[in-house]
Structure formats: C-alpha cells, structure tokens
Amino acid sequence: MAEARATTTRQSARATTPKEWALAVAGGLGLSAVLVMWLRPEILSPPDTPAMVAPAIVVLQAPAPNPVSVPQEALPALLLRGIMQNGAGGSAIIEAADGRQRLVSSGRMVSPGWRLAGLTATSATLVADSGDETLLLLDGEVGDGTAASEALTGPLRATPAALATSSNSYRLALKATRKGSEIIGFAVQDPASIPLFRLAGLTRGDVLISLNGQAVSSEEKVIELPAEVAGAKAIDLEVDSGGQKRMVHIDLIR
C-alpha cells in the first residue's frame, strides 16, 4: 500500500513539470482565442473605412465690368465754304465758329470724332460713331473746284506753320509760264502738295502771278516763297485762272 501511494505521488509530481505547465497554458490560450473569434466574428474583418469624398470646387467668377462708354463729342457749328473734287476723293473748305477756315481732304478728321467721308457738288458728309451729318454748300455748286475760291465768302486764316513747306516742293509744284522769252508767272502743276495752294483753292493750270505784290517771275523767287510766307503778316496771291485774274487774301495768325 505504501508503495502504491509513493508511485502515485511520483506520477503527480511529473505531471506538473514546467514543460507540462507551458503546454497547458498554451492550450488554454488557444481555446480562449477560438471562443472569442466565434463569439465576435467582426474582429476578423476590420470595419469598413468610409470613402473619402473630395469637397466640391466652387469657381467664383468676377462680374463682367460695365462697358466704358466714350462720350461722343457733339459736332461743332461748321460751315461748308468750298468743295474741290478730284480723282483722289476731293477736299472741302470748312469754316469753324470762330471764322477760321481750313482745307480738309476726304477721309481726314474735321473735328474730334468726326471724319469727312463723302463729297458731292453741293454737300459734305461727316461721319462719327453716333451717326452722320451733312453740311450743305452755302454758295452754290463748286463742281470740279475751278470756282472754289468764289465759295470762300469768309476770310481765310491759317498759321505760318500750317502753310510751311520746302523750296523744293514749290519748285516741283510750279512750272514757268512764258510770254515770248519773259516769265510772266508759274503754272500750278500739283496744288495738293502745297498747303498754301490748297487753302487758297488753286487748281491745276492756275498761274501764280504775284505774292504780296512781288511778281513771281523767276526760279529764284520761287525758291524764296517759303521765307516770304513765314515772315508775312498776311498773304495776297494774284492768280490767273483761265484768263481771268483774281486775288486771294489769307490772314496769318500768330
């Protein structure tokens, strides 16, 4: 009997060795993990991650700027004093409210915002962004410009600077007219190239006889014309138009 108890005691002591304890603990932990996963299956799969939604991009547009309106300058009081028509479109003699007159070629500006757009024998059409205006010739038809100076009922005025041009330009625009061997004047060949001739209404074929009482009867005198114009207080031109002599007076404003 005593030996049997001793054998049992030895067997119990062997069952509790550290290795056996470790196996027992490991088995218990494994069983516990299986039970936990069985009871709570959601642990196996992580919770769904909510999808990331990008915030909406709002584009702010600046309001369109209000269009800037440029005020149209009213057409000043103008008078049509003469018309010279030619193949290039012609020109008009326009008189301002102060009595000053100037020659304006077709297509050029008459007043800020107003352009000379068209000519007839008795009228001139001015156009602007706001519309158009027609000036009527006060003194009847001028036609091809041969009687343009007759339409200048008011005084002609200009600054010396506006009439300035070179001696060579005068030489090219004038051709000597002779009576026998004597030069009696210079015929106008290109009136458009000389501001003085344009203002005075001279046309091709008119003969310049004198300027301020001095006969234009030599090449030397033609070369001196720019200086004569620049230094004068006024200009008086004697012109032969188709055998009829006439005077054109121009006041110089300084």
Side-chain angles (χ1 to χ4, degrees):
M1 180 66 73
E3 291 181 4
R5 289 184 185 139
T7 303
T8 302
T9 301
R10 287 195 298 271
Q11 289 177 347
S12 299
R14 285 195 301 270
T16 57
T17 61
K19 183 177 181 179
E20 292 173 341
W21 276 108
L23 292 174
V25 171
L29 290 176
L31 179 60
S32 297
V34 170
L35 290 175
V36 170
M37 288 186 290
W38 178 72
L39 293 175
R40 298 185 63 184
E42 65 272 12
I43 295 178
L44 296 175
S45 58
D48 294 336
T49 302
M52 299 297 292
V53 179
I57 299 176
V58 180
V59 179
L60 299 179
Q61 295 183 349
N66 294 327
V68 179
S69 58
V70 179
Q72 174 66 51
E73 182 172 329
L75 181 66
L78 299 175
L79 298 176
L80 179 61
R81 292 297 190 180
I83 295 173
M84 288 175 285
Q85 292 179 309
N86 54 47
S91 304
I93 299 174
I94 306 293
E95 180 177 316
D98 61 0
R100 184 176 303 181
Q101 296 181 352
R102 64 192 182 96
L103 189 69
V104 181
S105 300
S106 181
R108 297 295 185 88
M109 301 302 293
V110 176
S111 181
W114 293 88
R115 178 174 55 84
L116 179 60
L119 292 169
T120 69
T122 58
S123 67
T125 300
L126 310 182
V127 298
D129 292 339
S130 61
D132 58 85
E133 295 284 346
T134 299
L135 302 180
L136 297 179
L137 185 63
L138 297 182
D139 299 322
E141 295 186 2
V142 175
D144 61 0
T146 57
S149 62
E150 296 176 3
L152 304 178
T153 59
L156 293 175
R157 297 183 177 91
T159 63
L163 302 181
T165 190
S166 66
S167 297
N168 191 54
S169 294
Y170 275 102
R171 290 179 62 251
L172 294 175
L174 295 171
K175 181 179 180 180
T177 299
R178 300 176 183 272
K179 187 175 182 179
S181 60
E182 179 185 1
I183 296 178
I184 60 173
F186 280 79
V188 177
Q189 303 297 303
D190 184 10
S193 65
I194 306 298
L196 174 62
F197 296 167
R198 293 201 307 266
L199 179 62
L202 303 189
T203 62
R204 183 179 176 86
D206 286 348
V207 179
L208 178 62
I209 299 173
S210 68
L211 185 147
N212 287 350
Q214 300 182 31
V216 183
S217 56
S218 67
E219 290 284 350
E220 290 76 10
K221 192 63 182 177
V222 170
I223 293 174
E224 294 173 359
L225 287 177
E228 292 284 346
V229 172
K233 294 182 179 180
I235 296 175
D236 288 301
L237 298 176
E238 184 181 4
V239 181
D240 185 335
S241 297
Q244 294 186 350
K245 293 183 179 181
R246 58 188 177 90
M247 298 295 298
V248 179
H249 177 81
I250 301 173
D251 291 321
L252 293 181
I253 304 171
R254 298 181 182 277

